[in-house]
Each structure stands twice: as C-alpha cells, then as structure tokens.
Amino acid sequence: MKTTITAKGMVVTPGITKRIMKKTETMSRYLRDDTEMFIRLRKEKNRRVVEITVPFNGVTLRAEARDEDNLYMCIDKALAKLEKQILKHRTKLSKRLREDINVSEAPEFIETLEDEKERKVVRQKTYTVRPMAIDDAILQMEMLGHNFFVFIDIETEQTNVLYLRNDGDLGLLVPEN
C-alpha cells in the first residue's frame, strides 16, 4: 500500500511519519497492495486535523478527525474511523464493486467563511464524475461521510445530486429536460 502524507501549517516529523506508517500497516489486511492512501495533516486555529482519503475499487473511503492538542490522537481516531467504515461496508463493497470501474477523486464540501455576511468560494475542487446506479451513489456518499453526492445516473445518463435530508432520509435532485 502506498501512503502519501502532506501537511499544511505544520512540519511532518520522522516521529509522525513512523506513527502513521505503523498504524496504516493494519489497513493492508483490508486493502490491496496497489491501493493508495492520502493522509493530509493541517493546523486550524487551536486544533489539529487529520484527513485520510483512500480511492479504492471505484469508491472513495474518507475519514477525518480533529483534536485540540494531540496530533497522534488525531491520527489514531481517523484511522479507527476508516477501519470502522471498511468493516461496516465490507459486504456491500464486495457485492457491488467491480474491478473495471475507474477510480474517482472524492468531492469535498466548499468551505465558507462564517464570520462574514458576504460568502465567497474559498476552495474549489474538481473530481471525475462517473456513471453509477443510485444504490452505488448512496454507498459512496455514506463512505465519504458527506451529506451530498454528485453522480451520473447509469440509466438516464444525467447528472444527479443525492443529498441527506434533515429528517434523515435521502433526497435525489434530477434535472428536468
């Protein structure tokens, strides 16, 4: 498994790298050897944030953890969340995923400034939208931990938006022709 570590606003020390590599070794029993794991460390105000993204067999697994002081605890929490996701969705993944699907990059929420009344786009991310069934889109959204997901419906070949409603159910936005 290939692990890529990046940091923003902090230095990745050999101790941090060693801790990450040691903890990610346990993930190798769930993932294939050619799987890539992207770990992003960053400092936000008074806290540390660890994001882990794993493009895997056409879906993207994602976990994030925050801690006030301890980066090592953040790393452990994020990896534990990722492992829990893998175990939770293991049967769904084995039933639905095919080897020939292209790997897509995970969409992320557009972060906005809360203090200002005028909102502006502060982050833009591009990703590959691929055709999939609605059930696959639901699985992908759950594994990313997001409350929305953009995909192309495999039956209609239209771009749809799947979203989590306030009542806990799912909604689907389908464009009108």
Side-chain angles (χ1 to χ4, degrees):
M1 184 168 58
K2 181 182 176 192
T3 305
T4 305
I5 303 169
T6 58
K8 183 177 178 182
M10 60 182 13
V11 176
V12 180
T13 64
I16 293 171
T17 304
K18 184 177 177 183
R19 175 71 165 248
I20 290 171
M21 298 312 284
K22 180 182 175 191
K23 293 289 184 174
T24 57
E25 280 179 22
T26 61
M27 293 293 163
S28 63
R29 64 180 169 213
Y30 303 117
L31 305 171
R32 294 189 320 230
D33 291 337
D34 62 341
T35 304
E36 290 186 86
M37 180 180 288
F38 301 97
I39 300 176
R40 183 174 174 218
L41 312 171
R42 72 176 190 270
K43 183 176 178 180
E44 286 181 351
K45 296 182 183 176
N46 298 335
R47 58 185 164 188
R48 310 295 186 266
V49 181
V50 175
E51 293 176 8
I52 302 173
T53 306
V54 182
F56 166 71
N57 275 0
V59 296
T60 304
L61 305 173
R62 184 174 179 280
E64 182 176 311
R66 300 167 187 268
D67 196 276
E68 295 296 321
D69 299 319
N70 195 335
L71 181 63
Y72 294 104
M73 288 297 294
C74 252
I75 293 166
D76 293 349
K77 286 179 189 177
L79 286 168
K81 284 182 183 180
L82 187 67
E83 187 172 14
K84 191 174 180 182
Q85 266 186 9
I86 291 170
L87 293 174
K88 179 180 177 183
H89 296 292
R90 183 172 35 191
T91 54
K92 290 181 187 177
L93 286 171
S94 64
K95 288 180 185 176
R96 294 188 182 158
L97 297 179
R98 298 175 296 277
E99 289 293 323
D100 59 344
I101 297 175
N102 292 331
V103 175
S104 64
E105 195 173 316
E108 288 195 13
F109 294 114
I110 297 174
E111 297 175 8
T112 58
L113 298 175
E114 297 175 4
D115 299 333
E116 297 181 16
K117 290 184 180 181
E118 182 181 328
R119 294 179 183 230
K120 60 182 178 179
V121 176
V122 296
R123 185 174 188 182
Q124 179 177 334
K125 191 159 191 172
T126 59
Y127 68 101
T128 305
V129 181
R130 65 177 183 85
M132 64 175 65
I134 293 173
D135 290 340
D136 292 334
I138 292 169
L139 175 66
Q140 181 69 42
M141 184 177 82
E142 288 175 351
M143 290 196 313
L144 288 170
H146 290 171
N147 57 9
F148 75 94
F149 186 72
V150 179
F151 68 101
I152 296 174
D153 189 323
I154 201 162
E155 294 174 10
T156 64
E157 296 182 358
Q158 290 184 321
T159 303
N160 293 343
V161 178
L162 182 68
Y163 65 96
L164 183 64
R165 296 170 38 98
N166 290 336
D167 62 6
D169 289 329
L170 297 173
L172 183 65
L173 297 177
V174 181
E176 192 175 288
N177 287 338

